[in-house]
Amino acid sequence: MGFFSRKSNDTPANPEITELGREYAIARRHGDRKTVKRITRQIGESGLSEGDRTSFEQGRDSYDAIPPAYSTRRNRRR
């Protein structure tokens, strides 16, 4: 890796929890309250360890870093 490289070697500890974090971020962005509640309930019941919580946040942040595909229109007039 170069001096100014943005790549990192942050591999998640638990890939399943990372994918759950991505699914949570997708559901939150698209307004799917049912899925957000299901994932929140699933995480609350399982009692995640610190490593699993970090993996969840990495998955969530990896999707949140992607900008939305469609931005809102600036001019609402027709």
Side-chain angles (χ1 to χ4, degrees):
M1 285 204 221
F3 185 68
F4 292 107
S5 178
R6 293 180 184 216
K7 294 181 180 179
S8 63
N9 292 333
D10 295 337
T11 56
N14 191 343
E16 291 177 13
I17 299 295
T18 304
E19 188 60 34
L20 195 63
R22 283 184 57 82
E23 186 179 337
Y24 177 83
I26 291 168
R28 193 180 65 214
R29 180 178 286 185
H30 294 283
D32 188 2
R33 295 183 312 205
K34 183 178 177 182
T35 304
V36 169
K37 286 182 180 181
R38 178 184 56 83
I39 293 171
T40 304
R41 187 172 45 245
Q42 183 178 353
I43 288 175
E45 291 173 354
S46 65
L48 296 177
S49 66
E50 188 63 34
D52 288 344
R53 190 167 303 279
T54 303
S55 295
F56 181 82
E57 291 173 3
Q58 282 178 346
R60 189 183 65 203
D61 294 340
S62 70
Y63 187 80
D64 286 341
I66 301 170
Y70 304 106
S71 61
T72 57
R73 288 180 38 190
R74 295 175 191 255
N75 186 357
R76 293 276 179 197
R77 293 185 295 172
R78 294 184 183 188

